Amino acid sequence: MAVGLAVAFVITGCTGSGGGDATPSARPTASTPAPPTVVDGLGLAILQNRPDYAKRILQLSVTNEGAEPVTVVGARFESAQFVEPASWSKSASTDVPAGLTRSLPVQLPAAVCPSPKGTEPTLTITLADASGATHDVTGQPSDPFGVLARIAAEDCLDDAVAGVAALSLDDSLAVTGTGEDSVAHLTLRADPTGGTGELHLDEVRFTILLQPAEGTTWPLDATLAGGDAPQEFTLDVVPARCDPHAIAEDKRGTFLPVVLDVAGGPSGTVSVPSSDSLRLAIYDFIAVRCGFAAAPTPEG
């Protein structure tokens, strides 16, 4: 559960050797995303769904701009910001009817940090005709939401933080009080990894589901070096909202955003994930505190 293994980030600024230096084209606004790059009748683009951030899954988007269906049997995404290509293939081919789009998920490889400047990624789609013969269509995919720049910054902040400490949340969730007066207590751990760097933890910010029992953030203001002893921080938590559908539709509400900076390196916000057991315990706490679930019956 360490940050270096499964994190997603919202970068507020990156400087120094650990920062991302990817150089995408100017990002379009959300209302006018750039269209796919069309090569030989195929629209090529890359996207990332929010639930895929922590999993480091990239969606290779293929749009059939022609009048006849096409059959995709393979895809390969390459960028100098990753140590190797990311490939998609499956035993059953994927048909893309005329005018429609298919998304092909790939697992992103490890990052190159600092991210190389001026990289131009390529997307290669392998098509098969009715006889089984294949041919490749290759082009630079559009990046309508600037995902490569964001991922580069995330990955290289991750790399810099992991060189100093691993951040995690304990699986257990302590709760004091009862009903609408109950408060949950999360434990954030910072385990130094033995490196030579220094990390400053500024604060933890609220999420769509969780907020501090007092104040608007959880202040940390702690500095640790790679050779220090582990540190623990207790976060007193109450629900940020009490509508049941917020839990039913939750994607990121149990990832805690930690604002931090690495000495001489990047700064930003790292979202520390909850384990499955902690996530479910948080959901139960919210349900009980908000009164839309019965409190568990005490044992004995």
Side-chain angles (χ1 to χ4, degrees):
M1 193 164 57
V3 166
L5 298 179
V7 293
F9 310 84
V10 180
I11 301 303
T12 59
C14 288
T15 60
S17 61
D21 292 320
T23 310
S25 57
R27 297 185 188 182
T29 64
S31 60
T32 57
T37 301
V38 179
V39 181
D40 293 342
L42 291 185
L44 308 178
I46 51 173
L47 307 164
Q48 192 178 46
N49 299 323
R50 191 165 176 79
D52 291 337
Y53 286 11
K55 301 174 186 176
R56 300 186 80 258
I57 300 293
L58 187 71
Q59 301 291 335
L60 309 180
S61 176
V62 183
T63 301
N64 183 356
E65 303 282 358
E68 300 294 330
V70 296
T71 299
V72 178
V73 295
R76 186 177 70 257
F77 173 76
E78 297 182 73
S79 170
Q81 78 181 69
F82 304 106
V83 297
E84 60 186 11
S87 297
W88 175 91
S89 63
K90 56 186 297 187
S91 55
S93 59
T94 294
D95 292 331
V96 187
L100 296 186
T101 300
R102 294 285 186 262
S103 294
L104 312 176
V106 294
Q107 180 71 55
L108 287 173
V112 174
C113 290
S115 187
K117 295 182 179 180
T119 61
E120 293 187 356
T122 60
L123 175 55
T124 298
I125 303 299
T126 302
L127 302 177
D129 61 22
S131 70
T134 62
H135 72 280
D136 291 341
V137 175
T138 299
Q140 182 178 351
S142 71
D143 183 1
F145 302 105
V147 300
L148 287 184
R150 173 179 54 76
I151 291 171
E154 293 170 356
D155 283 347
C156 292
L157 177 59
D158 179 19
D159 183 70
V161 171
V164 182
L167 304 184
S168 62
L169 291 169
D170 278 1
D171 286 345
S172 60
L173 180 70
V175 178
T176 56
T178 59
E180 63 183 16
D181 295 321
S182 59
V183 177
H185 309 283
L186 292 170
T187 300
L188 174 68
R189 287 184 55 88
D191 292 288
T193 55
T196 58
E198 189 173 83
L199 179 66
H200 180 257
L201 305 176
D202 183 16
E203 65 182 11
V204 181
R205 294 180 176 169
F206 65 88
T207 76
I208 194 169
L209 292 183
L210 303 172
Q211 65 183 10
E214 296 182 1
T216 57
T217 67
W218 293 277
L220 299 178
D221 193 20
T223 299
L224 67 159
D228 288 350
Q231 295 190 37
E232 291 188 352
F233 308 89
T234 300
L235 311 179
D236 298 335
V237 174
V238 295
R241 55 194 299 177
C242 273
D243 42 327
H245 79 269
I247 291 178
E249 299 174 0
D250 178 54
K251 296 179 177 65
R252 305 288 300 172
T254 61
F255 287 64
L256 292 192
V258 181
V259 181
L260 49 76
D261 62 85
V262 179
S267 62
T269 303
V270 172
S271 292
V272 183
S274 298
S275 66
D276 287 345
S277 60
L278 178 59
R279 176 173 54 84
L280 294 176
I282 290 172
Y283 292 163
D284 287 343
F285 162 70
I286 294 173
V288 172
R289 161 91 185 210
C290 292
F292 54 78
T297 301
E299 295 182 359

